Amino acid sequence: MFGLGYAKFDSITYVIQYKNGKVVREGRGLAFFYSTFSSSIAAVPLASNDLPFIFNETTADYQSITIQGQLSYRVRDPRQLAELLDFTVNSAGIYKKNDLEKLNQRLVNEAQAATSAYVHSLTLKDAIRSNKFIEEQIQAGLQSSPAVAQLGIEVLGVNILAVKATPEMERALEAEARERLQQEADQAIYERRNFAVEQERRIKESELNTDIAVEEKRKQIDEKRSEAQLQRAANDRKLRELQVQADIAVEASRADLLTQQTANQRQAADAQGYVTEATLRPFRDLDWRTLTALQNNPDPRLNIALAFRELAENAGKIGTLNITPDLLDNLLKDAPTPPADAPKPSRR
């Protein structure tokens, strides 16, 4: 119908109807008819938005960095936001101006302003490693910003995706980091080799200590063996001394025995000599002829032998003596046969 329009919005949109400069209707998800000649409608989206951002800053050592991130926000007071920015829609529900981009740019500017002072106090290396701290600075700056508060915006969160230096500086940092890592690797290799050398030294020292302990044990064993040998030698010496003393005692006893035996034999010989002397003493002064006669031997050959003895003793007084062979033959014929081992008489 001419001059009459119909508007319908979803539940995530806050609608404000102005008529003749006054608010006649407002709320979420409204649907109504309105006069196109006297009414204007502002539709403020209430859904949370993710706003990506990227901006450049300079560190304390005059190095350029690029901060890339994303912040999430939602409209806390849509009526206040509608008073500052134009969210008016036409009869087709299309925004007449794109003030949403203006809102996003203001938030990005506030985020950059909140982090600028903090980044300027950092060196390049510290800034590259300070993502979390930059997030905290941006979120705290946005929450305390009067401009954000006037817009009726609530910041839900800030995420820093990357903090990068220029490509040349990144290559320089990579080279420096590479050199540092190489040095750390060399240091690790050195420490590992040094550790291996130290372990080898400890092993050698342990082996030497073991050898020393073994040598000490061997020394103790040798000392014990020497002591045992000395003790054995002393015992053997004592045994030999006792044996010698026993032999001396035996020899002394044997010498005493021999002396006694000799004395006894001497006494026996003296007694035997005395008996013999006493027995022969009566015959000592007798003539041998008397002794021969006392034998009372009836053998005529003995008498003939005694006769020849007398002739021999008185040979100097005899002039001529004739002895016939017949006489000798008769004497030898009647003589007893001598034993086999008896000496044979010689004839001259």
Side-chain angles (χ1 to χ4, degrees), residues 46-57:
L46 299 178
S48 62
N49 292 322
D50 294 329
L51 175 61
F53 62 86
I54 181 170
F55 51 81
N56 298 323
E57 288 292 343

Side-chain angles (χ1 to χ4, degrees), residues 13-154:
T13 303
Y14 192 88
V15 181
I16 303 174
Q17 182 186 1
Y18 294 91
K19 186 176 183 180
N20 296 325
K22 296 181 180 179
V23 176
V24 296
R25 185 184 289 114
E26 64 178 319
R28 300 177 60 173
L30 297 180
F32 55 88
F33 290 97
Y34 67 96
S35 174
T36 58
F37 297 108
S38 60
S39 298
S40 64
I41 300 173
V44 180
L46 299 178
S48 62
N49 292 322
D50 294 329
L51 175 61
F53 62 86
I54 181 170
F55 51 81
N56 298 323
E57 288 292 343
T58 304
T59 61
D61 49 0
Y62 307 104
Q63 300 297 324
S64 297
I65 61 172
T66 300
I67 301 175
Q68 180 181 357
Q70 174 181 287
L71 64 88
S72 299
Y73 71 92
R74 73 179 182 87
V75 178
R76 178 177 52 80
D77 191 345
R79 188 168 184 176
Q80 184 178 355
L81 180 61
E83 291 178 355
L84 296 176
L85 297 176
D86 187 4
F87 286 92
T88 303
V89 296
N90 58 19
S91 59
I94 300 174
Y95 289 105
K96 294 180 179 181
K97 295 182 180 180
N98 192 8
D99 279 3
L100 187 60
E101 291 184 0
K102 187 184 294 185
L103 173 62
N104 291 339
Q105 187 61 43
R106 288 184 182 181
L107 292 176
V108 171
N109 294 338
E110 289 295 327
Q112 186 173 2
T115 190
S116 179
Y118 178 71
V119 172
H120 290 169
S121 65
L122 300 176
T123 62
L124 177 61
K125 294 180 180 179
D126 294 335
I128 293 176
R129 293 191 293 264
S130 300
N131 292 23
K132 188 65 177 178
F133 297 103
I134 293 175
E135 289 178 0
E136 295 174 355
Q137 288 293 326
I138 293 175
Q139 187 164 359
L142 293 175
Q143 290 175 354
S144 62
S145 173
V148 176
Q150 290 178 1
L151 292 173
I153 298 298
E154 180 183 1

Side-chain angles (χ1 to χ4, degrees), residues 41-296:
I41 300 173
V44 180
L46 299 178
S48 62
N49 292 322
D50 294 329
L51 175 61
F53 62 86
I54 181 170
F55 51 81
N56 298 323
E57 288 292 343
T58 304
T59 61
D61 49 0
Y62 307 104
Q63 300 297 324
S64 297
I65 61 172
T66 300
I67 301 175
Q68 180 181 357
Q70 174 181 287
L71 64 88
S72 299
Y73 71 92
R74 73 179 182 87
V75 178
R76 178 177 52 80
D77 191 345
R79 188 168 184 176
Q80 184 178 355
L81 180 61
E83 291 178 355
L84 296 176
L85 297 176
D86 187 4
F87 286 92
T88 303
V89 296
N90 58 19
S91 59
I94 300 174
Y95 289 105
K96 294 180 179 181
K97 295 182 180 180
N98 192 8
D99 279 3
L100 187 60
E101 291 184 0
K102 187 184 294 185
L103 173 62
N104 291 339
Q105 187 61 43
R106 288 184 182 181
L107 292 176
V108 171
N109 294 338
E110 289 295 327
Q112 186 173 2
T115 190
S116 179
Y118 178 71
V119 172
H120 290 169
S121 65
L122 300 176
T123 62
L124 177 61
K125 294 180 180 179
D126 294 335
I128 293 176
R129 293 191 293 264
S130 300
N131 292 23
K132 188 65 177 178
F133 297 103
I134 293 175
E135 289 178 0
E136 295 174 355
Q137 288 293 326
I138 293 175
Q139 187 164 359
L142 293 175
Q143 290 175 354
S144 62
S145 173
V148 176
Q150 290 178 1
L151 292 173
I153 298 298
E154 180 183 1
V155 178
L156 300 178
V158 178
N159 294 318
I160 298 300
L161 303 179
V163 179
K164 295 183 178 180
T166 60
E168 295 80 6
M169 189 54 62
E170 285 185 351
R171 286 192 292 271
L173 292 176
E174 288 176 358
E176 181 182 357
R178 191 182 305 110
E179 290 297 328
R180 184 175 64 255
L181 292 176
Q182 186 65 37
Q183 291 177 0
E184 292 177 356
D186 294 340
Q187 182 67 22
I189 293 174
Y190 169 76
E191 292 178 355
R192 184 168 62 253
R193 290 180 178 176
N194 191 23
F195 178 76
V197 172
E198 180 66 19
Q199 291 298 111
E200 186 68 21
R201 184 190 63 80
R202 291 183 179 179
I203 292 173
K204 292 293 184 181
E205 184 177 355
S206 179
E207 291 177 353
L208 291 176
N209 291 333
T210 302
D211 294 339
I212 292 173
V214 171
E215 292 298 328
E216 289 293 333
K217 290 296 183 181
R218 289 179 179 175
K219 182 179 179 181
Q220 293 178 2
I221 293 173
D222 292 339
E223 290 178 354
K224 292 295 183 181
R225 288 178 177 174
S226 299
E227 292 178 358
Q229 291 177 356
L230 291 175
Q231 185 65 33
R232 191 180 299 109
N235 294 334
D236 293 340
R237 181 179 58 80
K238 290 181 180 180
L239 290 175
R240 288 195 298 271
E241 289 178 355
L242 294 176
Q243 185 66 34
V244 170
Q245 292 177 359
D247 294 340
I248 291 172
V250 170
E251 292 297 329
S253 299
R254 185 177 299 172
D256 294 339
L257 178 60
L258 290 176
T259 302
Q260 187 65 35
Q261 289 179 350
T262 302
N264 293 336
Q265 290 177 358
R266 184 180 295 113
Q267 292 179 359
D270 293 341
Q272 185 65 31
Y274 176 77
V275 171
T276 303
E277 183 181 0
T279 304
L280 296 177
R281 185 180 296 119
F283 302 98
R284 181 182 303 170
D285 296 332
L286 291 178
D287 186 66
W288 62 276
R289 299 178 182 87
T290 305
L291 291 176
T292 302
L294 289 175
Q295 289 182 357
N296 194 17

Side-chain angles (χ1 to χ4, degrees), residues 302-323:
L302 179 58
N303 293 327
I304 294 172
L306 292 176
F308 279 108
R309 181 180 178 88
E310 288 293 333
L311 289 176
E313 289 178 354
N314 296 314
K317 299 177 179 181
I318 299 175
T320 300
L321 177 62
N322 292 323
I323 298 174

